[in-house]
Amino acid sequence: METFFKSLGKTGIGQFSISVSFHGTDCAVSLLPKASEGDNALKAIRPFTLKGSIEEIDTVFLERLGKPMQETKVLFDNANGYLSNLKKAEEKTKMANDRKEKKKKALSDLKELVKDKKFNPMAEHEKAVDLANKVLELDENDALAKKTIEDMKAYQQPTFF
């Protein structure tokens, strides 16, 4: 026969609240697993409660505790996994938005440079290529950036013959 605390430890749940009430030869034991994550839905879990004579509780408590605690562990693991994935998704979304904003700024700078009437490709072709490369780092398929790089090749090493 396994010991009480060893059995609780094997459930994989990190924290419990235990309440024991004695009423003559009868006993009521409540065991409440606590979630480590801050998910409020997990706080709605009701305690596992078993009532009976002290002898009955001694013999069947650990048996009857097994299945509900396994199910609770699965629930906690799923909730923790969900919260972890949610945090990752938020970070990715923020990263995606940051990347989108960076591309928008770089593309705007490139358009402003090459569409400006004062743009001199002979003098400013390197700046145009640099801006186009910044856009391509963020979106390798951007048509304007590719076209700008292609157009500026003629000004990188001008030939007079």
Side-chain angles (χ1 to χ4, degrees):
M1 182 173 138
E2 272 192 25
T3 60
F4 180 72
F5 292 105
K6 191 173 189 179
S7 294
L8 287 181
K10 284 185 173 183
T11 65
I13 298 171
Q15 186 177 3
F16 292 93
S17 288
I18 301 172
S19 174
V20 180
S21 300
F22 295 100
H23 306 284
T25 59
D26 289 338
C27 180
V29 180
S30 291
L31 185 69
L32 178 63
K34 294 197 172 195
S36 59
E37 291 293 322
D39 187 351
N40 289 334
L42 296 177
K43 293 178 182 174
I45 294 175
R46 301 191 46 100
F48 172 78
T49 303
L50 190 60
K51 297 176 184 176
S53 71
I54 294 172
E55 291 80 24
E56 288 173 326
I57 300 292
D58 277 342
T59 57
V60 299
F61 186 76
L62 292 176
E63 280 177 31
R64 296 202 181 150
L65 177 71
K67 187 174 182 193
M69 289 305 118
Q70 283 178 329
E71 292 170 354
T72 303
K73 171 76 168 112
V74 169
L75 176 66
F76 284 4
D77 289 347
N78 287 340
N80 290 341
Y82 173 78
L83 291 173
S84 175
N85 287 337
L86 184 62
K87 286 178 186 175
K88 288 176 186 175
E90 286 175 2
E91 289 172 7
K92 286 181 181 178
T93 301
K94 183 176 176 358
M95 287 172 46
N97 286 339
D98 289 349
R99 187 175 183 89
K100 187 176 177 181
E101 287 299 315
K102 285 179 183 178
K103 180 193 174 204
K104 187 176 176 181
K105 168 108 174 70
L107 195 56
S108 173
D109 291 347
L110 178 61
K111 284 179 182 177
E112 189 177 311
L113 177 68
V114 296
K115 306 275 182 189
D116 189 355
K117 292 179 183 179
K118 296 178 185 177
F119 175 63
N120 179 353
M122 287 295 287
E124 298 177 287
H125 68 275
E126 287 179 17
K127 186 176 181 181
V129 169
D130 288 343
L131 287 172
N133 281 328
K134 282 183 184 178
V135 172
L136 289 175
E137 284 176 17
L138 300 166
D139 179 6
E140 62 188 31
N141 298 318
D142 188 81
L144 178 62
K146 286 181 176 181
K147 182 180 181 322
T148 301
I149 289 174
E150 191 61 36
D151 292 348
M152 293 302 120
K153 284 181 181 177
Y155 299 101
Q156 289 174 348
Q157 294 180 349
T159 57
F160 298 106
F161 302 101

